[in-house]
């Protein structure tokens, strides 16, 4: 079955991807890192939006944001349009930390890809892009 083979093959990529995060300073859980990445992609997202994206309750998302804010990675601000609404933004420290993590991941994956024949690397990239597009299509359909 293709799904099983892809899952098994993807494990090496996932292990390489996540191993780099284990050395991040500060050390973040997968959920904390996911939340920061969501806020980077959607600056100004509100707490409810973040909670929905990470499949958590608003109180759980708020506690998660408390920890990220205490670490100096996230900022919560009241919006000027609605004084009750809170928007989430990364701090400069949070942005730098994610940029550093991204560069370290690129380096780690690049080292592995150095041992992969170029045509197979291109095929891998094409397959991953097709997978990402299918995920976006599925997400858009489920939100409609």
């Amino acid at each position: 079955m293709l799904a099983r083979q892809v899952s098994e093959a993807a494990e090496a990529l996932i292990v390489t991807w996540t191993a780099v995060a284990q050395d991040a300073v500060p050390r973040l859980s997968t959920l904390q890192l996911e939340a920061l990445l969501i806020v980077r992609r959607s600056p100004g997202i509100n707490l409810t939006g973040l909670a929905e994206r990470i499949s958590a309750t608003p109180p759980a998302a708020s506690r998660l944001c408390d920890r990220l804010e205490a670490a100096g990675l996230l900022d919560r601000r009241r919006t000027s349009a609605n004084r009750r609404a809170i928007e989430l933004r990364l701090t400069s420290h949070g942005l730098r930390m994610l940029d550093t993590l991204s560069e370290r991941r690129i380096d780690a994956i690049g080292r592995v890809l150095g041992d992969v024949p170029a045509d197979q690397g291109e095929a891998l990239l094409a397959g991953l892009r097709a997978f990402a597009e299918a995920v976006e299509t599925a997400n858009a359909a489920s939100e409609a």
Side-chain angles (χ1 to χ4, degrees):
M1 169 184 259
L2 180 61
R4 179 179 306 281
Q5 292 171 325
V6 169
S7 178
E8 290 170 357
E11 285 179 18
L13 177 59
I14 293 166
V15 166
T16 303
W17 175 265
T18 56
V20 173
Q22 298 304 309
D23 296 330
V25 178
R27 191 168 181 185
L28 302 172
S29 71
T30 302
L31 187 58
Q32 290 171 322
L33 185 55
E34 181 182 0
L36 291 175
L37 291 170
I38 289 168
V39 173
R40 181 173 67 179
R41 285 190 302 271
S42 303
I45 190 171
N46 64 25
L47 192 60
T48 302
L50 177 64
E52 289 171 359
R53 301 268 299 273
I54 62 172
S55 300
T57 63
S62 182
R63 288 188 300 275
L64 174 69
C65 289
D66 288 342
R67 291 187 294 276
L68 294 170
E69 194 170 28
L73 302 171
L74 185 75
D75 215 7
R76 287 189 260 206
R77 301 180 193 150
R78 297 210 180 273
T79 65
S80 57
N82 179 349
R83 300 284 300 155
R84 293 185 332 175
I86 303 289
E87 66 180 17
L88 305 172
R89 296 199 179 271
L90 295 180
T91 63
S92 58
H93 177 58
L95 286 167
R96 281 192 311 275
M97 192 274 306
L98 287 180
D99 288 345
T100 299
L101 181 61
S102 179
E103 288 302 316
R104 292 181 63 225
R105 283 178 164 165
I106 289 167
D107 290 345
I109 292 169
R111 284 191 299 275
V112 174
L113 287 174
D115 294 332
V116 174
D119 61 330
Q120 290 180 357
E122 291 298 323
L124 173 63
L125 177 59
L128 288 171
R129 283 183 174 156
F131 187 88
E133 288 174 17
V135 168
E136 286 181 29
T137 301
N139 287 343
S142 70
E143 292 173 3

mmCIF file of all heavy atoms in Angstrom, residues 7 9 13 28-30 38-41 44-45 54 66-67 75 93 109-110 113 120-121 134 144:
data_model
loop_
_atom_site.group_PDB
_atom_site.id
_atom_site.type_symbol
_atom_site.label_atom_id
_atom_site.label_comp_id
_atom_site.label_asym_id
_atom_site.label_seq_id
_atom_site.Cartn_x
_atom_site.Cartn_y
_atom_site.Cartn_z
ATOM 1 N N SER A 7 4.575 6.568 4.538
ATOM 2 C CA SER A 7 4.712 6.783 5.979
ATOM 3 C C SER A 7 6.059 6.280 6.479
ATOM 4 O O SER A 7 6.758 6.973 7.235
ATOM 5 C CB SER A 7 3.572 6.076 6.714
ATOM 6 O OG SER A 7 3.721 6.229 8.104
ATOM 7 N N ALA A 9 8.807 5.761 4.721
ATOM 8 C CA ALA A 9 9.897 6.532 4.124
ATOM 9 C C ALA A 9 9.999 7.923 4.750
ATOM 10 O O ALA A 9 11.091 8.465 4.901
ATOM 11 C CB ALA A 9 9.710 6.632 2.613
ATOM 12 N N LEU A 13 12.822 11.569 7.296
ATOM 13 C CA LEU A 13 12.733 13.019 7.155
ATOM 14 C C LEU A 13 12.213 13.646 8.443
ATOM 15 O O LEU A 13 12.748 14.655 8.914
ATOM 16 C CB LEU A 13 11.819 13.386 5.976
ATOM 17 C CG LEU A 13 11.572 14.873 5.744
ATOM 18 C CD1 LEU A 13 12.880 15.615 5.494
ATOM 19 C CD2 LEU A 13 10.606 15.067 4.584
ATOM 20 N N LEU A 28 11.558 23.779 22.933
ATOM 21 C CA LEU A 28 10.106 23.898 22.800
ATOM 22 C C LEU A 28 9.475 22.547 22.535
ATOM 23 O O LEU A 28 10.063 21.696 21.869
ATOM 24 C CB LEU A 28 9.767 24.841 21.650
ATOM 25 C CG LEU A 28 10.322 26.254 21.729
ATOM 26 C CD1 LEU A 28 10.056 26.992 20.443
ATOM 27 C CD2 LEU A 28 9.721 26.988 22.913
ATOM 28 N N SER A 29 8.247 22.399 23.008
ATOM 29 C CA SER A 29 7.485 21.199 22.664
ATOM 30 C C SER A 29 7.032 21.328 21.204
ATOM 31 O O SER A 29 7.052 22.414 20.617
ATOM 32 C CB SER A 29 6.258 21.064 23.573
ATOM 33 O OG SER A 29 5.296 22.056 23.248
ATOM 34 N N THR A 30 6.602 20.230 20.651
ATOM 35 C CA THR A 30 6.097 20.243 19.280
ATOM 36 C C THR A 30 4.911 21.197 19.160
ATOM 37 O O THR A 30 4.802 21.949 18.190
ATOM 38 C CB THR A 30 5.684 18.822 18.850
ATOM 39 O OG1 THR A 30 6.825 17.965 18.983
ATOM 40 C CG2 THR A 30 5.181 18.778 17.429
ATOM 41 N N ILE A 38 2.447 28.925 13.333
ATOM 42 C CA ILE A 38 1.141 29.427 12.911
ATOM 43 C C ILE A 38 1.097 30.942 13.046
ATOM 44 O O ILE A 38 0.635 31.638 12.140
ATOM 45 C CB ILE A 38 0.015 28.757 13.727
ATOM 46 C CG1 ILE A 38 -0.120 27.293 13.319
ATOM 47 C CG2 ILE A 38 -1.313 29.504 13.549
ATOM 48 C CD1 ILE A 38 -0.984 26.456 14.247
ATOM 49 N N VAL A 39 1.588 31.465 14.173
ATOM 50 C CA VAL A 39 1.581 32.912 14.379
ATOM 51 C C VAL A 39 2.494 33.595 13.361
ATOM 52 O O VAL A 39 2.163 34.670 12.858
ATOM 53 C CB VAL A 39 1.982 33.270 15.833
ATOM 54 C CG1 VAL A 39 2.150 34.770 16.004
ATOM 55 C CG2 VAL A 39 0.937 32.738 16.812
ATOM 56 N N ARG A 40 3.609 32.963 13.011
ATOM 57 C CA ARG A 40 4.477 33.558 11.986
ATOM 58 C C ARG A 40 3.764 33.622 10.640
ATOM 59 O O ARG A 40 3.851 34.610 9.919
ATOM 60 C CB ARG A 40 5.790 32.788 11.841
ATOM 61 C CG ARG A 40 6.700 33.440 10.796
ATOM 62 C CD ARG A 40 8.062 32.841 10.707
ATOM 63 N NE ARG A 40 8.018 31.487 10.198
ATOM 64 C CZ ARG A 40 9.091 30.733 10.012
ATOM 65 N NH1 ARG A 40 10.294 31.193 10.326
ATOM 66 N NH2 ARG A 40 8.981 29.510 9.559
ATOM 67 N N ARG A 41 3.029 32.567 10.294
ATOM 68 C CA ARG A 41 2.307 32.550 9.016
ATOM 69 C C ARG A 41 1.084 33.451 9.030
ATOM 70 O O ARG A 41 0.640 33.902 7.973
ATOM 71 C CB ARG A 41 1.882 31.117 8.656
ATOM 72 C CG ARG A 41 3.004 30.241 8.167
ATOM 73 C CD ARG A 41 2.491 28.923 7.602
ATOM 74 N NE ARG A 41 1.709 28.146 8.542
ATOM 75 C CZ ARG A 41 2.206 27.244 9.388
ATOM 76 N NH1 ARG A 41 3.493 27.001 9.408
ATOM 77 N NH2 ARG A 41 1.404 26.581 10.207
ATOM 78 N N GLY A 44 -1.027 38.438 13.869
ATOM 79 C CA GLY A 44 -2.258 39.082 14.294
ATOM 80 C C GLY A 44 -3.404 38.112 14.516
ATOM 81 O O GLY A 44 -4.504 38.541 14.865
ATOM 82 N N ILE A 45 -3.155 36.821 14.332
ATOM 83 C CA ILE A 45 -4.195 35.824 14.590
ATOM 84 C C ILE A 45 -4.660 35.990 16.035
ATOM 85 O O ILE A 45 -3.881 36.366 16.910
ATOM 86 C CB ILE A 45 -3.661 34.389 14.324
ATOM 87 C CG1 ILE A 45 -4.792 33.366 14.360
ATOM 88 C CG2 ILE A 45 -2.547 34.028 15.293
ATOM 89 C CD1 ILE A 45 -4.371 31.972 13.882
ATOM 90 N N ILE A 54 -4.679 24.613 16.320
ATOM 91 C CA ILE A 54 -3.907 23.579 17.034
ATOM 92 C C ILE A 54 -4.827 22.547 17.690
ATOM 93 O O ILE A 54 -4.366 21.697 18.441
ATOM 94 C CB ILE A 54 -2.941 24.183 18.077
ATOM 95 C CG1 ILE A 54 -3.694 24.936 19.162
ATOM 96 C CG2 ILE A 54 -1.881 25.039 17.403
ATOM 97 C CD1 ILE A 54 -2.831 25.393 20.329
ATOM 98 N N ASP A 66 0.785 31.818 27.340
ATOM 99 C CA ASP A 66 1.432 32.313 28.563
ATOM 100 C C ASP A 66 2.889 31.863 28.607
ATOM 101 O O ASP A 66 3.792 32.656 28.899
ATOM 102 C CB ASP A 66 0.725 31.783 29.820
ATOM 103 C CG ASP A 66 -0.632 32.412 30.074
ATOM 104 O OD1 ASP A 66 -0.921 33.489 29.500
ATOM 105 O OD2 ASP A 66 -1.406 31.809 30.854
ATOM 106 N N ARG A 67 3.110 30.583 28.333
ATOM 107 C CA ARG A 67 4.482 30.045 28.378
ATOM 108 C C ARG A 67 5.359 30.654 27.289
ATOM 109 O O ARG A 67 6.527 30.982 27.523
ATOM 110 C CB ARG A 67 4.444 28.514 28.265
ATOM 111 C CG ARG A 67 3.842 27.854 29.502
ATOM 112 C CD ARG A 67 3.957 26.339 29.478
ATOM 113 N NE ARG A 67 3.186 25.691 28.433
ATOM 114 C CZ ARG A 67 1.898 25.372 28.530
ATOM 115 N NH1 ARG A 67 1.216 25.652 29.622
ATOM 116 N NH2 ARG A 67 1.287 24.774 27.537
ATOM 117 N N ASP A 75 4.017 37.818 21.702
ATOM 118 C CA ASP A 75 3.451 39.034 22.276
ATOM 119 C C ASP A 75 1.942 39.003 22.060
ATOM 120 O O ASP A 75 1.482 38.652 20.968
ATOM 121 C CB ASP A 75 4.040 40.236 21.538
ATOM 122 C CG ASP A 75 4.256 41.422 22.419
ATOM 123 O OD1 ASP A 75 4.087 41.303 23.634
ATOM 124 O OD2 ASP A 75 4.591 42.478 21.866
ATOM 125 N N HIS A 93 12.719 38.258 19.159
ATOM 126 C CA HIS A 93 13.416 37.056 19.639
ATOM 127 C C HIS A 93 12.763 35.800 19.056
ATOM 128 O O HIS A 93 13.456 34.865 18.634
ATOM 129 C CB HIS A 93 13.411 37.028 21.172
ATOM 130 C CG HIS A 93 14.031 35.812 21.776
ATOM 131 N ND1 HIS A 93 15.330 35.426 21.529
ATOM 132 C CD2 HIS A 93 13.519 34.888 22.628
ATOM 133 C CE1 HIS A 93 15.598 34.313 22.194
ATOM 134 N NE2 HIS A 93 14.512 33.974 22.868
ATOM 135 N N ILE A 109 18.973 18.768 6.529
ATOM 136 C CA ILE A 109 18.377 18.080 5.389
ATOM 137 C C ILE A 109 19.322 18.127 4.187
ATOM 138 O O ILE A 109 19.470 17.155 3.453
ATOM 139 C CB ILE A 109 16.995 18.668 5.057
ATOM 140 C CG1 ILE A 109 16.019 18.318 6.191
ATOM 141 C CG2 ILE A 109 16.473 18.174 3.709
ATOM 142 C CD1 ILE A 109 14.697 19.042 6.121
ATOM 143 N N GLY A 110 20.002 19.253 4.006
ATOM 144 C CA GLY A 110 20.970 19.381 2.911
ATOM 145 C C GLY A 110 22.103 18.376 3.016
ATOM 146 O O GLY A 110 22.541 17.821 2.001
ATOM 147 N N LEU A 113 20.645 15.127 1.878
ATOM 148 C CA LEU A 113 20.394 15.147 0.437
ATOM 149 C C LEU A 113 21.682 15.100 -0.380
ATOM 150 O O LEU A 113 21.649 14.726 -1.555
ATOM 151 C CB LEU A 113 19.574 16.384 0.051
ATOM 152 C CG LEU A 113 18.099 16.347 0.454
ATOM 153 C CD1 LEU A 113 17.439 17.683 0.155
ATOM 154 C CD2 LEU A 113 17.372 15.203 -0.247
ATOM 155 N N GLN A 120 16.736 11.772 -8.035
ATOM 156 C CA GLN A 120 15.865 11.279 -6.972
ATOM 157 C C GLN A 120 15.495 12.408 -6.007
ATOM 158 O O GLN A 120 14.380 12.446 -5.480
ATOM 159 C CB GLN A 120 16.523 10.119 -6.235
ATOM 160 C CG GLN A 120 16.607 8.872 -7.089
ATOM 161 C CD GLN A 120 17.257 7.706 -6.362
ATOM 162 O OE1 GLN A 120 17.704 7.834 -5.224
ATOM 163 N NE2 GLN A 120 17.311 6.568 -7.037
ATOM 164 N N GLY A 121 16.409 13.328 -5.794
ATOM 165 C CA GLY A 121 16.095 14.498 -4.968
ATOM 166 C C GLY A 121 15.008 15.344 -5.615
ATOM 167 O O GLY A 121 14.090 15.826 -4.935
ATOM 168 N N ALA A 134 -2.138 18.711 -1.983
ATOM 169 C CA ALA A 134 -3.290 17.883 -1.634
ATOM 170 C C ALA A 134 -3.772 18.203 -0.214
ATOM 171 O O ALA A 134 -4.983 18.231 0.045
ATOM 172 C CB ALA A 134 -2.942 16.399 -1.766
ATOM 173 N N ALA A 144 -14.794 24.710 4.087
ATOM 174 C CA ALA A 144 -15.931 25.249 3.319
ATOM 175 C C ALA A 144 -17.254 24.759 3.832
ATOM 176 O O ALA A 144 -17.440 23.940 4.606
ATOM 177 C CB ALA A 144 -15.776 24.884 1.849
#
